[in-house]
Amino acid sequence: MILFALRRFLGFAVTLLVAALVIFWLLDLLPGDPAQFILGINATPESVARLRLQMGLDTPAPERFIAWIWGMLGGDFGMSYTQRAPVGELIWGRLGVTLPLAIFAMVISVAVGLPLGILAARRRGKALDTAVMVVAQTGIAIPNFWFGMLLTLLFAVVLRWLPPGGFTPWHENPGLAFRGLILPSLALALPQASILARVMRTALVDVTSQDYIRTARAKGLTMGEAVWRHGVRNALLPVLTILGLQFAYLVAGTIIVENVFYLPGLGKLIYTAILERDLILVRGATIILILAVTATMLVTDIAYALVDPRLRERSAS
């Protein structure tokens, strides 16, 4: 197991390095001069040259890439020239919104999707199964930003139970901060819960046709007992992969929902930095998102191997 984890960690490190190289290269290819964009069209050539020197744009790209990587290894993500603040501090402040939002959405999707999938599998071919699958398909088809608007209209405008947007910092009022994340979490969780329900139903239907389920039934267990004792655990194997992908998506894909609900999260920060051509901030924030995604996939692979030892054996062979 240790060897398996080390191999996965090595792949994680290589993936992160390649992703950093791609991000740096793509942003470096963008047309226009970032210094000129920041200072405006009326800036003098001397001012532009001075800002380029401060931003390190006068040095060759390989040197800038190595300096960027070396700085991040030491915790220095650079300085944002549009917000006049260290990039690391800006990112850290926004993670306090994005990570709880992704975690809340993940909890909701698991709490809703898995029971619905199990219920549909237990009632396979019946009206309840059809109803659950229709609801799941509808949830997948509905864009989360549009669902977020509907939630805002119902719970914020009509019922006035929850705030329509904005965010109160956790240290000021944790209760208001939590209330501000309820609607965006529900908007993010809807399609993910729908996907989980469909995957769980399919996996559990496949499991119930296996020999060990029939053996358990032959020993006197009811179908429900056999499914809960033996079927659900094995059906969770493909679900683990989906969960890892979903959490990675939720962390990296909050930009639209954060803009809909005016949340000062990491997605909003990246969106603003792109508009302002703050390449240092874009690079730092994007690499943090990629780090979260790849780390999630690393944890998912290790969890999958712990549940299914056959994966470790195939990796070693």
Side-chain angles (χ1 to χ4, degrees):
M1 183 63 202
I2 295 178
L3 183 59
F4 175 85
L6 289 176
R7 288 178 177 175
R8 286 295 185 269
F9 184 79
L10 179 60
F12 160 77
V14 172
T15 301
L16 199 59
L17 181 61
V18 172
L21 180 61
V22 171
I23 292 171
F24 186 91
W25 177 65
L26 289 178
L27 291 178
D28 218 43
L29 289 178
L30 290 178
D33 187 345
Q36 183 74 61
F37 185 87
I38 292 173
L39 294 176
I41 59 176
N42 296 322
T44 62
E46 292 78 12
S47 300
V48 173
R50 188 162 49 250
L51 182 57
R52 284 181 58 83
L53 181 63
Q54 294 176 0
M55 298 175 68
L57 297 176
D58 58 323
T59 57
E63 293 183 18
R64 284 186 281 119
F65 175 73
I66 294 174
W68 178 52
I69 295 296
W70 187 255
M72 286 193 299
L73 291 176
D76 181 12
F77 287 80
M79 178 73 69
S80 169
Y81 286 94
T82 58
Q83 303 198 31
R84 304 294 179 182
V87 171
E89 293 183 6
L90 293 173
I91 294 173
W92 182 254
R94 302 302 181 95
L95 284 176
V97 177
T98 297
L99 281 183
L101 175 61
I103 292 172
F104 292 162
M106 192 78 251
V107 170
I108 294 172
S109 66
V110 170
V112 174
L114 293 188
L116 283 179
I118 295 173
L119 185 62
R122 292 285 292 114
R123 299 291 187 270
R124 180 178 50 171
K126 299 182 180 180
L128 184 58
D129 178 23
T130 303
V132 170
M133 288 301 98
V134 168
V135 172
Q137 189 62 41
T138 304
I140 295 173
I142 295 177
N144 51 23
F145 66 88
W146 186 75
F147 185 57
M149 294 181 201
L150 293 181
L151 291 174
T152 302
L153 181 63
L154 176 60
F155 292 102
V157 177
V158 177
L159 299 177
R160 299 182 181 275
W161 290 353
L162 296 168
F167 183 76
T168 302
W170 292 100
H171 65 275
E172 292 183 8
N173 193 321
L176 286 180
F178 177 76
R179 282 167 53 85
L181 294 181
I182 293 177
L183 292 184
S185 297
L186 288 173
L188 279 173
L190 173 67
Q192 309 308 318
S194 302
I195 294 172
L196 278 181
R198 291 181 63 88
V199 172
M200 188 65 195
R201 177 196 177 276
T202 302
L204 199 53
V205 167
D206 291 340
V207 164
T208 53
S209 63
Q210 299 297 316
D211 292 338
Y212 59 85
I213 295 294
R214 287 192 289 268
T215 302
R217 294 290 309 280
K219 290 182 177 179
L221 295 180
T222 65
M223 187 61 179
E225 291 173 337
V227 167
W228 280 109
R229 292 187 186 183
H230 306 287
V232 171
R233 178 180 177 181
N234 289 283
L236 284 175
L237 292 177
V239 174
L240 279 176
T241 302
I242 299 297
L243 287 175
L245 291 172
Q246 284 190 339
F247 186 73
Y249 165 78
L250 289 172
V251 172
T254 57
I255 180 169
I256 297 178
V257 170
E258 286 180 357
N259 279 278
V260 169
F261 289 95
Y262 301 101
L263 297 177
L266 195 57
K268 181 74 171 178
L269 179 68
I270 294 176
Y271 177 75
T272 304
I274 291 174
L275 293 180
E276 296 175 345
R277 288 293 303 276
D278 194 338
L279 300 186
I280 297 177
L281 182 53
V282 174
R283 285 172 183 156
T286 305
I287 200 65
I288 289 297
L289 286 181
I290 293 175
L291 174 63
V293 170
T294 52
T296 301
M297 298 312 301
L298 173 65
V299 172
T300 302
D301 285 345
I302 294 176
Y304 202 112
L306 288 173
V307 176
D308 187 359
R310 294 172 299 178
L311 183 64
R312 301 197 299 267
E313 295 172 2
R314 287 197 298 267
S315 178
S317 59

